[in-house]
Amino acid sequence: RTLDLKDFRRLSADPNQAATKLKDKVDLIEDQQGHAEKVQAIEAWRSSPLYQLYVSVTRDAVLAGVPVVQILAQHREKGEETLSDEELTAVMHVNTELRF
């Protein structure tokens, strides 16, 4: 529920590996505690600051009619901490795998 960009980066310097670790943690919760807890873990993911950042960036891109990487570049130009292009791809991938 509290996973933010800094926490995601602490999982691994490689965004794909960090995403895999995140997915593996959810899978481990399901294996050890059951499907109901997996659902709670996915709900926690969806309320996390990292997921909210991802949703915000993609929503802004859709509303502006521009590629998401352009929105990310705009955030970087403003000096805002945001996802790298590789992190965006990794978060998109893990999000597609975290389903109920």
Side-chain angles (χ1 to χ4, degrees):
R1 203 169 296 282
T2 63
L3 183 73
D4 60 14
L5 185 55
K6 288 180 183 180
D7 294 332
F8 183 73
R9 290 175 175 163
R10 285 186 193 120
L11 291 174
S12 176
D14 175 12
N16 293 320
Q17 203 171 29
T20 298
K21 286 182 179 183
L22 178 60
K23 169 105 174 52
D24 288 348
K25 287 179 188 245
V26 173
D27 290 342
L28 183 63
I29 288 170
E30 181 179 33
D31 291 344
Q32 292 182 344
Q33 300 176 19
H35 185 73
E37 284 73 14
K38 176 185 179 180
V39 170
Q40 289 179 345
I42 293 171
E43 289 172 347
W45 157 248
R46 291 181 179 168
S47 68
S48 73
L50 178 60
Y51 180 82
Q52 295 303 314
L53 174 62
Y54 160 72
V55 169
S56 174
V57 168
T58 55
R59 181 186 61 238
D60 291 348
V62 169
L63 292 175
V66 298
V68 177
V69 293
Q70 186 175 338
I71 298 295
L72 293 175
Q74 291 172 357
H75 285 281
R76 282 187 219 109
E77 287 172 7
K78 294 177 185 175
E80 298 173 3
E81 185 174 44
T82 194
L83 298 160
S84 69
D85 296 351
E86 296 81 17
E87 289 168 338
L88 173 70
T89 301
V91 169
M92 285 174 32
H93 179 72
V94 77
N95 190 52
T96 61
E97 293 191 14
L98 292 181
R99 302 275 181 221
F100 305 137

